[in-house]
Amino acid sequence: MVDQSIRVEKSQSRKSKPNPNDLVFGRNFTDHMFVMDYAEGLGWHNPSIIPYQSLTIDPACMVFHYGQSVFEGLKAFRTKDGDIQLFRPEKNLQRLNNSNERLVIPPIDEEFGLEAIKQLVELDKDWVPAAEGTSLYIRPFIISTEPYLGVAPSHHYKFIVIMSPVGSYYKEGINPVKIAVEDKYVRAVKGGTGEAKTGGNYASSLKAQEIVEKEGYSQVLWLDGVHRKYIEEVGSMNVFFKINGEVVTPALNGSILPGITRDSVIQLLKHWDVPVSERQVSMQEIFEAHQNGTLEEAFGSGTAAVISPIGELYWEGHHLNINDGKTGELSKKVYDYITGIQYGKKEDPLNWIVKVEKKTEVKY
Ligand SMILES: *Cc1c(COP(=O)(O)O)cnc(C)c1O
């Protein structure tokens, strides 16, 4: 598999690029995409980089009916020297295969998948924006493509990688968000698909998200599906609390998505000798810490925002104001350090950066 070479068909025309200072997340796509097919007996085959284009697929394709699909999200960053680099991309390929396992999708060769991503980024490198805080978002995903209405694992799949230039998550500096604790709907339960990055988890989260948005909150904080007591995660982010000097985050329990940013935050805090623990955290504990003044900071972590400070938590009629609604010192320090590594401004003590290539000439 690894020595399979990728067929490259270059686009005859180049799209015009959106204004790098006015990029909207996930609306514009680069000139090329990567596609590879799977068929039972043949395995993964025909890896190709082709012009970005629509797919022609049968309306009976299994993904449309039963949702057998997985995805990933990572970014390519342009350093001030013009290098292009990825942040822990091998972790995304590992997690893709973990999601595949849960959704009964055949695994891909992780090294080959990373090679495909690097080649695609290299070809579309002039789409990696240079403006402060911008990046190229990379979306690998797999869909089941067998035309069959039976409920069973598909015998055919497509692995596709598309890419989109994205703007700075924080236009006016890192800004705290208001989060509502969800007490009616749940995202996942142990034994379900909460640990897998699959579209179905998002489909089932939309209802709760829509309701809290109308009430002025940006996302929901999910509680465990059995007791509705223990904290799981926020929308598309993992969550951290700083209580009395110690940073705590819910332990990965089978229903929480294992975020790569989450892992990076934990490793960085350990590197700095900041006390950090992964354990069960109840909403009652957070409420009490707030009441007795020991809840110092709260933040979400994910690829899109890196760190998203939480300025207010709404729970059972209580508005918990955290750190005066301002970004906490540690939240800011973690944000600055991780983004510093990503943009090549800070040294990379834990070896997280993977360079796509040495130098690039074209700037965007
Ligand atoms: C992707 C995702 C995260 C964050 O993961 P990162 O690897 O840090 O981007 C957290 N929760 C959910 C539900 C996710 O889909």
Side-chain angles (χ1 to χ4, degrees):
M1 181 79 252
V2 183
D3 35 59
Q4 246 196 80
S5 62
I6 299 171
R7 180 179 70 87
V8 179
E9 180 195 332
K10 285 192 187 162
S11 171
Q12 291 308 304
S13 59
R14 293 289 183 265
K15 295 186 211 173
S16 64
K17 297 188 178 68
N19 179 349
N21 298 309
D22 200 19
L23 293 167
V24 187
F25 182 87
R27 290 277 181 201
N28 300 284
F29 299 95
T30 67
D31 289 315
H32 297 90
M33 63 201 249
F34 174 82
V35 188
M36 176 163 75
D37 296 310
Y38 179 91
E40 204 167 73
L42 263 181
W44 286 106
H45 63 283
N46 196 20
S48 315
I49 289 175
I50 58 174
Y52 187 96
Q53 58 193 264
S54 300
L55 303 172
T56 303
I57 39 179
D58 195 293
C61 270
M62 294 170 91
V63 68
F64 295 137
H65 307 278
Y66 311 119
Q68 198 193 5
S69 70
V70 294
F71 70 97
E72 270 304 324
L74 67 160
K75 285 171 169 176
F77 304 89
R78 186 184 287 274
T79 70
K80 62 176 177 345
D81 302 328
D83 287 351
I84 290 170
Q85 51 190 35
L86 305 170
F87 183 75
R88 311 187 73 189
E90 67 288 349
K91 289 273 163 204
N92 294 92
L93 288 141
Q94 270 170 22
R95 186 171 63 189
L96 184 67
N97 271 343
N98 291 342
S99 302
N100 281 340
E101 209 274 324
R102 181 62 182 84
L103 275 287
V104 201
I105 295 172
I108 62 156
D109 183 300
E110 291 170 23
E111 249 177 81
F112 183 76
L114 180 53
E115 186 52 35
I117 289 171
K118 283 181 174 173
Q119 280 196 33
L120 181 64
V121 173
E122 164 72 28
L123 183 61
D124 278 347
K125 65 191 171 196
D126 52 334
W127 282 87
V128 184
E132 174 84 26
T134 62
S135 57
L136 183 67
Y137 184 79
I138 304 166
R139 166 55 58 86
F141 64 105
I142 300 177
I143 53 171
S144 52
T145 51
E146 184 178 346
Y148 174 48
L149 295 185
V151 178
S154 174
H155 297 107
H156 301 264
Y157 299 88
K158 266 187 193 299
F159 172 52
I160 303 174
V161 184
I162 55 175
M163 308 194 294
S164 169
V166 296
S168 173
Y169 196 84
Y170 298 107
K171 290 237 156 42
E172 286 102 31
I174 177 169
N175 246 328
V177 291
K178 288 165 71 176
I179 303 279
V181 180
E182 178 58 52
D183 52 13
K184 180 173 179 200
Y185 299 101
V186 298
R187 187 190 90 93
V189 289
K190 280 186 196 50
T193 56
E195 258 184 338
K197 223 168 162 69
T198 180
N201 291 339
Y202 280 88
S204 65
S205 75
L206 297 175
K207 182 78 185 166
Q209 175 69 24
E210 185 186 62
I211 294 168
V212 302
E213 259 176 39
K214 283 196 189 120
E215 291 162 2
Y217 297 94
S218 65
Q219 294 201 29
V220 303
L221 187 143
W222 299 106
L223 297 179
D224 77 278
V226 177
H227 312 280
R228 314 284 173 96
K229 266 197 201 157
Y230 302 105
I231 293 174
E232 299 238 309
E233 57 182 303
V234 171
S236 54
M237 292 188 288
N238 297 108
V239 67
F240 289 81
F241 299 92
K242 182 165 171 257
I243 305 170
N244 211 6
E246 188 196 31
V247 179
V248 297
T249 189
L252 299 177
N253 59 359
S255 51
I256 294 174
L257 196 288
I260 294 162
T261 318
R262 174 188 180 278
D263 181 72
S264 307
V265 171
I266 293 170
Q267 285 198 41
L268 203 52
L269 292 174
K270 287 184 175 163
H271 182 71
W272 290 339
D273 289 325
V274 174
V276 53
S277 70
E278 300 174 65
R279 59 169 171 84
Q280 202 173 52
V281 189
S282 70
M283 194 48 221
Q284 183 65 30
E285 176 186 349
I286 298 304
F287 178 69
E288 283 166 16
H290 179 263
Q291 296 310 95
N292 67 28
T294 54
L295 178 61
E296 294 158 359
E297 300 185 30
F299 61 87
S301 73
T303 295
V306 185
I307 296 297
S308 185
I310 300 172
E312 183 189 314
L313 266 184
Y314 176 77
W315 181 57
E316 293 186 351
H318 305 284
H319 294 270
L320 313 184
N321 186 278
I322 303 168
N323 193 41
D324 278 335
K326 295 201 286 282
T327 299
E329 208 177 300
L330 187 66
S331 312
K332 178 79 168 77
K333 186 175 168 190
V334 172
Y335 174 81
D336 286 345
Y337 208 89
I338 294 181
T339 54
I341 294 173
Q342 291 173 333
Y343 289 94
K345 291 192 228 161
K346 286 207 157 59
E347 62 172 304
D348 175 20
L350 298 159
N351 276 319
W352 285 338
I353 291 303
V354 172
K355 294 229 184 278
V356 168
E357 46 129 36
K358 277 314 308 159
K359 281 269 183 279
T360 45
E361 324 76 52
V362 204
K363 282 230 166 164
Y364 164 38

